[in-house]
Structure formats: C-alpha cells, structure tokens
Amino acid sequence: MLLSAQVFGAENPAYLYLKMPSGINTKKYQYRLLTNYVNKSSTRVGCMFSAIDQPGQLIICEVEDTLVDLQFIVKDRWGPGEYLHHSIRIQITADSVFYPIPELPDEAAIDAHIRDREKVHRKEQRRDGFHTFMTDWKSWYIYANFYQGNRPYGEVSFSNARYSDVPVRRGSLFRSRITYEPGLIRGPVYGAEFNFGWRKNDFILGPKIGFQMNGRLGNLGLSAVYYTDFTHGLVCLKPRIGINPGIPWVNFSYEYAIRCGYNYFGNRINSHQFSVYFIIPLRVVEFP
C-alpha cells in the first residue's frame, strides 16, 4: 500500500519516499511520522501520518524545501508513553529522494522506553500534597480507624499499598483528551481492632488481615478478624464498602461482620458498624 501527502504552494515540489520498518505491531503500538521544513527564518509543518498500519509500507511526501526534519515515533496505544525511534534531518538534493526508516528494536526495549516516558509524563501531571502519592508508587501507611456500632471500637493497622493513575476523558464528545489523574489504591492491611472496655473481662482484641481497594469516589475491602478476650475466640469475615469524600487521608465505610462460629461475646461484637478511616503515610518509594 502506498500513502502520499501533499503540501500545497510549492512551485517545484520534490518527492520524499519513506519506507517504514518491517517490525510493526499495530495491535500493541501506534506509529506516527512527522516532518518539518526548515530554512534560516522559520520551521513549517510538512507531512504527518498516524495511521501507519502495514509493515514495510511506503509513504510519499511532496516536499517544498531543501531541508526536512523527520521523526518516527512509537506510541503506547492505550497510554501517554511514547518512544522516539528515529530523528534525522534530510537534505533534498533531487526530484526524488528515497529514505528507509531503520528497523525497530525488539518490543522489550520499546516497552522499557515507553515505561520511562510514562513515568515522566505522570510526574509532570502530579499536584502537591495528597496527589503526589497518587500515581505508580507504593507506600507504607498506618490506618487509625474509629468504628461505631453497638459498641465503639478502634483499630490500628499497617498497609503496604500501591497507587496508580486512571485515564479520564476531558472535553466534549468531538474534542476530547485523556488525562491521567489520581485513581486506584490497593494493598494488604495488617493490624488489630479493640474495644474500649478497659474493665476486667470486658476488653476484646481482634487481630486482622485483609485487602483494601480505594478508587476516586469509593472504597472496598475484605478482612478476617479473630476476636478474643483471652478466654474465648471468634473469627469474623468483614466485607467493607464506603465513600471517599475528597478529604485527603480520610474515608468513610460500612462493614458487616459475618460470624464464623459460636458467638461467646453477644452484642459486644458489632454485626453492623460505621467507620472513619484516618490514613497516615509513613514512607513512599517509587516503583522501578
């Protein structure tokens, strides 16, 4: 298949024949070809293609200047990252000039370059404060929680969570763009719940392990808790659902306790409880 592009206004146009690489994977990447015309006073746009879909494809650019800057870019089809595969300035010295784009490296090398570009792109889009943590980072946190049901409970837990961006489409139906904004939080939670009964035979401790996911507006979680007064014990499974009000480091949740065994504690164990989670960051480490 032969593609061509015209730049109007040339008195004596020349033709630049560009042969695309053979290792093109259109299911995984998008390919863009850009040319600019250069003279002493200005730079003008020439041919532009972003629909390169055949290995070894030949493209014709009708050019109107003697110097052409050419760029061939491999872009992540579903994300912001891109890889500048080839960039050169070509001197047009005849009516027809043929130039082959060099062959692409293996996909592992392209993916590594694209990941690096994605990191730069996302860092540039980060805002201060809470949003600084909300991209491809992993974090260590303390959760300080307060539950209210039949009895008030507290919790102190530890989490090794990972943050990632989500694509958000901005603009109208016909003129829109995708930006990457604070998105999904997910990771395991380890800790313990406790009631506020400090009298003898009234205190209950609940070591727990679970997994939590927080999105832009809501949160989900599931944990297993072993309640004990150091004489009897009870295992509960506790699914959680809640909302994130947009206040940094705070979310609200509802939890229901599914009791797995005989309940020695009566109403001292909450079946239904509402909670306020306070999230205290300890350390942030960027993923390689």
Side-chain angles (χ1 to χ4, degrees):
M1 181 178 180
L2 195 67
L3 293 182
S4 64
Q6 264 191 326
V7 179
F8 295 98
E11 295 181 1
N12 298 300
Y15 295 94
L16 176 60
Y17 293 83
L18 298 168
K19 188 175 187 299
M20 298 299 103
S22 59
I24 286 178
N25 181 354
T26 56
K27 292 183 179 180
K28 186 172 183 180
Y29 306 114
Q30 182 181 9
Y31 303 89
R32 293 191 303 175
L33 175 70
L34 309 175
T35 67
N36 294 314
Y37 304 124
V38 184
N39 57 37
K40 293 182 180 179
S41 59
S42 64
T43 300
R44 291 167 294 135
V45 175
C47 300
M48 293 173 33
F49 291 97
S50 58
I52 300 166
D53 56 6
Q54 292 188 11
Q57 187 172 349
L58 192 64
I59 289 178
I60 301 176
C61 286
E62 185 175 308
V63 300
E64 60 179 44
D65 219 321
T66 57
L67 283 179
V68 177
D69 279 342
L70 180 146
Q71 287 187 334
F72 187 82
I73 298 168
V74 184
K75 187 181 183 303
D76 184 352
R77 182 167 287 279
W78 309 111
E82 62 181 30
Y83 166 45
L84 177 59
H85 169 55
H86 190 64
S87 179
I88 192 173
R89 177 168 290 184
I90 299 174
Q91 179 78 47
I92 305 299
T93 58
D95 291 340
S96 297
V97 175
F98 178 84
Y99 185 81
I101 305 295
E103 288 298 318
L104 292 160
D106 59 80
E107 291 188 0
I110 295 175
D111 289 343
H113 281 280
I114 287 178
R115 281 195 302 270
D116 290 341
R117 291 300 306 159
E118 284 179 343
K119 284 186 178 182
V120 171
H121 172 84
R122 292 176 177 179
K123 286 179 182 178
E124 289 173 349
Q125 293 209 9
R126 282 189 205 131
R127 287 167 261 173
D128 293 334
F130 178 62
H131 297 286
T132 303
F133 298 97
M134 297 287 285
T135 181
D136 268 341
W137 296 64
K138 66 179 179 180
S139 313
W140 285 264
Y141 289 90
I142 289 178
Y143 285 81
N145 311 327
F146 176 77
Y147 299 102
Q148 183 59 56
N150 292 326
R151 300 286 181 91
Y153 269 73
E155 175 188 344
V156 176
S157 292
F158 169 85
S159 176
N160 181 1
R162 178 171 178 171
Y163 287 78
S164 60
D165 289 343
V166 292
V168 178
R169 187 176 294 277
R170 299 292 187 187
S172 65
L173 178 63
F174 301 104
R175 297 187 64 183
S176 62
R177 62 187 180 90
I178 293 179
T179 61
Y180 286 76
E181 299 188 4
L184 185 66
I185 312 166
R186 68 244 189 234
V189 178
Y190 319 92
E193 298 179 13
F194 53 88
N195 68 357
F196 293 96
W198 308 118
R199 295 177 299 179
K200 186 178 180 180
N201 301 325
D202 197 26
F203 178 72
I204 295 175
L205 182 68
K208 68 185 298 183
I209 184 172
F211 189 86
Q212 54 90 23
M213 295 177 62
N214 293 314
R216 290 173 57 81
L217 299 176
N219 59 80
L220 296 171
L222 179 65
S223 58
V225 186
Y226 177 72
Y227 291 104
T228 179
D229 60 0
F230 306 101
T231 301
H232 303 97
L234 174 65
V235 174
C236 291
L237 294 179
K238 299 179 68 176
R240 171 167 68 88
I241 186 170
I243 60 172
N244 301 332
I247 305 171
W249 315 118
V250 178
N251 59 48
F252 302 100
S253 301
Y254 163 76
E255 293 188 1
Y256 177 73
I258 303 171
R259 297 167 180 173
C260 304
Y262 182 77
N263 180 17
Y264 295 95
F265 307 105
N267 63 5
R268 291 192 295 158
I269 299 293
N270 296 323
S271 295
H272 306 270
Q273 60 187 18
F274 296 90
S275 63
V276 182
Y277 277 65
F278 300 94
I279 306 166
I280 305 169
L282 298 177
R283 185 184 177 195
V284 179
V285 176
E286 186 175 8
F287 274 90

